[in-house]
Amino acid sequence: EVYSFFEGIDPHDIRAGELNDGYSLSALQILSENPALVKRLFIQDTFNEKGFYKIRLCKDGQWQVVTIDDYFPCYVNGGPIFTFGEGNELWVMLLEKAYAKTFGTYQNLIGGSCHEALEDLTGCPTEHIIFPSFKDDFEQKDEEYWDTIQAWFGKGYLIYGNTELDPAWDQGGSEASHFYSIINLVESEGIKLLKIRNAWGVFTWDGAWSNGHENWDENPSVKSLCKYTGEEDGTFWISFDDYYNLFNSIHVNKVEEWNEI
């Protein structure tokens, strides 16, 4: 028997296809950091022999049930044209098709806002910290920014960042921004670190606190607190100061205790 959540839900399940809807895939990747938030969108979460599925989406501020079938656009020689899941995962394709139906066609998904897509998937609002252009202005508000992010993290909100600065982050589409989940933050001995997941598998941070960097051995207490192992799992650590240099902002989707408020 094939399940919609064949081997669980993971940010790395999402594989982009020909459709240039990177903003919505980023939203799915961020959402899948908390699998419960994905599962609650499915009224049934197992394979349906009749080929029909009902999915909940929050469009224009109201939850609605979208009914879809399991026919997906494919190449003549096989394989999905648009977004697909790793292995036998169905949840990625089903969610994209339901989202496309709310807009009328797959084509209408091209170009959009990650923030609005997350609101459609959670029913909860987003908030943004846009960093100032000048480093001195950032340093003056450093503690305020950090305290705000810590408060968000403590409430279980979905936190993510975006960058437009370096072509090394480009995924080959026309999207101006690319979004990355912030899955942990640690402060110790005056050092502020963020743990970021790069589900797209292209960019690798090689600066301070990157995998294998000497800072880990020089700061054993920080290493222990971060539970750093050096494993290449699509995540990396970066200082808050370096984050400012690479990213434009920090965003949050305020999913209060995983319930709509």
Side-chain angles (χ1 to χ4, degrees):
E1 186 173 15
V2 180
Y3 289 83
S4 300
F5 311 105
F6 188 70
E7 292 181 344
I9 294 171
D10 186 272
H12 296 285
D13 290 341
I14 303 166
R15 295 290 179 263
E18 295 297 324
L19 195 64
N20 188 15
D21 61 342
Y23 73 96
S24 64
L25 302 189
S26 293
L28 279 183
Q29 178 251 312
I30 294 164
L31 189 76
S32 62
E33 294 290 349
N34 188 329
L37 295 178
V38 175
K39 289 183 178 180
R40 74 173 188 167
L41 299 177
F42 287 79
I43 292 178
Q44 83 272 12
D45 62 2
T46 57
F47 173 72
N48 181 355
E49 292 183 357
K50 301 295 184 182
F52 290 97
Y53 296 86
K54 290 183 180 292
I55 293 172
R56 299 171 68 247
L57 293 171
C58 187
K59 284 299 296 174
D60 300 322
Q62 290 190 335
W63 285 100
Q64 53 186 269
V65 175
V66 182
T67 303
I68 58 171
D69 57 41
D70 59 1
Y71 284 85
F72 304 100
C74 290
Y75 294 105
V76 174
N77 60 351
I81 297 174
F82 302 142
T83 307
F84 59 97
E86 179 73 14
N88 292 328
E89 301 286 356
L90 286 176
W91 69 269
V92 178
M93 292 189 292
L94 290 171
L95 270 180
E96 184 184 52
K97 183 166 186 175
Y99 200 46
K101 186 173 181 178
T102 67
F103 286 94
T105 68
Y106 277 100
Q107 184 177 7
N108 289 341
L109 287 183
I110 296 174
S113 163
C114 177
H115 318 308
E116 292 181 354
L118 267 174
E119 290 172 356
D120 293 339
L121 294 169
T122 65
C124 295
T126 56
E127 187 177 327
H128 321 284
I129 293 177
I130 309 300
F131 292 144
S133 300
F134 298 103
K135 188 65 176 288
D136 289 346
D137 294 336
F138 172 79
E139 291 175 348
Q140 288 176 10
K141 302 192 73 174
D142 173 277
E143 288 296 332
E144 178 184 335
Y145 290 148
W146 185 257
D147 290 345
T148 299
I149 299 165
Q150 280 190 315
W152 288 347
F153 190 79
K155 292 183 177 181
Y157 292 164
L158 297 174
I159 308 173
Y160 53 105
N162 76 293
T163 180
E164 301 172 1
L165 296 180
D166 193 330
W169 297 71
D170 185 25
Q171 309 302 315
S174 63
E175 299 291 325
S177 299
H178 299 291
F179 295 84
Y180 300 85
S181 302
I182 298 172
I183 58 176
N184 199 3
L185 44 145
V186 166
E187 182 175 10
S188 177
E189 301 176 7
I191 299 169
K192 300 183 181 76
L193 297 177
L194 301 110
K195 188 176 185 181
I196 297 176
R197 186 186 304 282
N198 172 19
W200 307 115
V202 175
F203 177 79
T204 301
W205 170 241
D206 58 4
W209 302 103
S210 59
N211 277 353
H213 195 273
E214 59 188 14
N215 282 3
W216 293 112
D217 291 332
E218 293 173 357
N219 298 271
S221 60
V222 177
K223 182 177 181 178
S224 176
L225 195 60
C226 292
K227 299 179 180 178
Y228 170 78
T229 63
E231 180 183 0
E232 296 289 347
D233 59 357
T235 66
F236 62 91
W237 289 90
I238 188 171
S239 72
F240 194 37
D241 199 52
D242 283 331
Y243 180 94
Y244 163 79
N245 292 325
L246 285 173
F247 287 80
N248 296 333
S249 52
I250 285 184
H251 314 273
V252 62
N253 181 264
K254 296 187 172 183
V255 185
E256 184 81 35
E257 299 179 350
W258 307 352
N259 294 314
E260 181 182 2
I261 57 172

